[in-house]
Amino acid sequence: MSSDEILPSHDEAHAGVLGPRLNWLRAAVLGANDGIVSTAGLVVGVAGATDARGTLLTAGLAGLLAGSMSMAAGEYVSVSTQRDSERAALALERRELATTPQAELAELTGLLEGKGLTRELAREVAEQLTDHDALRAHAEVELGIDPDALTNPWHAAGASFLAFTAGALLPLLAIVLPPAAVRLPVTVVAVLGALILCGWGSARLGEAPAGRAMLRNAGGGALAMGVTYAAGVLLGAAGV
């Protein structure tokens, strides 16, 4: 038997380490994508009504701050709820282990047996895991929770805030820095290019086909900018 057949591949050996990191990277890519699309739609819509740089800057900054704070607050609330649920589940397991240890051992045995182990081996593994760290064994096998790596709402909120802000800065700078004559085309090109890049990044992280993700991203951004620009033009023409 060759060494390739008996040794795990590099990807397999590090899958557990890379998993959480890939989740954060995916969240960052999606947060940046939201910042690009929402801010681009806002500033392009305003540009349809006026070409005043001060107005565009004010609208863009307001959208950036509102969006980033909303993303951070929403992520904090969502992850805090998840963390509370994880803590409650761990507390329940701790009580059950203290009051009904034999029933919990039988439950763990059944779960391991359901993963493909024989009854005898499942019982032996359950006993060894229980002797080593009963709470961790039940948390990981039964609940899918690592007691030492609970979700952190502050990390999630900070990552969402930074990702959205980074994405939103691109359309904001693209709409206020160039001369008025080329402001709109520069913004559209910059936004579509960034969305294509985000689509490629999200597809690579998810090991999905990149072409469709890039087209979806660019198409959604183009639609958002087209709709808001048309609304801005109509409102500007109406003198609103």
Side-chain angles (χ1 to χ4, degrees), residues 70-160:
S70 175
M71 286 282 292
E75 197 70 14
Y76 178 83
V77 171
S78 174
V79 175
S80 293
T81 301
Q82 180 183 345
R83 187 182 181 92
D84 290 343
S85 298
E86 291 173 344
R87 285 175 169 170
L90 290 173
L92 177 60
E93 282 299 322
R94 194 176 287 111
R95 289 195 300 271
E96 291 177 342
L97 286 168
T99 56
T100 57
Q102 290 306 312
E104 289 300 297
L105 178 61
E107 182 182 32
L108 183 58
T109 300
L111 290 170
L112 292 171
E113 190 177 4
K115 291 180 179 293
L117 300 183
T118 64
R119 180 70 180 177
E120 294 75 16
L121 181 57
R123 179 75 178 190
E124 181 182 350
V125 172
E127 289 175 346
Q128 291 188 23
L129 290 174
T130 299
D131 290 340
H132 177 68
D133 191 334
L135 179 61
R136 175 177 291 278
H138 280 268
E140 293 181 346
V141 176
E142 181 180 349
L143 305 174
I145 297 174
D146 183 350
D148 296 328
L150 298 183
T151 52
N152 189 313
W154 289 107
H155 289 172
S160 295

Side-chain angles (χ1 to χ4, degrees), residues 12-233:
E12 292 173 340
H14 293 82
V17 177
L18 291 178
R21 185 180 303 172
L22 290 178
N23 286 336
W24 282 109
L25 287 172
R26 190 175 292 111
V29 169
L30 294 176
N33 191 85
D34 287 343
I36 294 170
V37 173
S38 61
T39 306
L42 176 62
V43 297
V44 168
V46 174
T50 178
D51 61 356
R53 180 177 275 112
T55 302
L56 293 170
L57 179 60
T58 300
L61 283 176
L64 183 154
L65 291 174
S68 59
M69 293 301 296
S70 175
M71 286 282 292
E75 197 70 14
Y76 178 83
V77 171
S78 174
V79 175
S80 293
T81 301
Q82 180 183 345
R83 187 182 181 92
D84 290 343
S85 298
E86 291 173 344
R87 285 175 169 170
L90 290 173
L92 177 60
E93 282 299 322
R94 194 176 287 111
R95 289 195 300 271
E96 291 177 342
L97 286 168
T99 56
T100 57
Q102 290 306 312
E104 289 300 297
L105 178 61
E107 182 182 32
L108 183 58
T109 300
L111 290 170
L112 292 171
E113 190 177 4
K115 291 180 179 293
L117 300 183
T118 64
R119 180 70 180 177
E120 294 75 16
L121 181 57
R123 179 75 178 190
E124 181 182 350
V125 172
E127 289 175 346
Q128 291 188 23
L129 290 174
T130 299
D131 290 340
H132 177 68
D133 191 334
L135 179 61
R136 175 177 291 278
H138 280 268
E140 293 181 346
V141 176
E142 181 180 349
L143 305 174
I145 297 174
D146 183 350
D148 296 328
L150 298 183
T151 52
N152 189 313
W154 289 107
H155 289 172
S160 295
F161 180 89
L162 292 175
F164 187 97
T165 300
L169 280 173
L170 184 135
L172 176 59
L173 295 176
I175 202 73
V176 299
L177 292 182
V182 296
R183 190 172 289 157
L184 192 59
V186 167
T187 301
V188 171
V189 170
V191 166
L192 292 181
L195 290 176
I196 289 172
L197 183 60
C198 283
W200 176 86
S202 62
R204 291 285 294 175
L205 291 171
E207 298 182 353
R212 283 180 291 181
M214 293 160 66
L215 287 174
R216 270 197 307 267
N217 249 24
L223 179 62
M225 288 187 290
V227 169
T228 55
Y229 181 75
V233 170

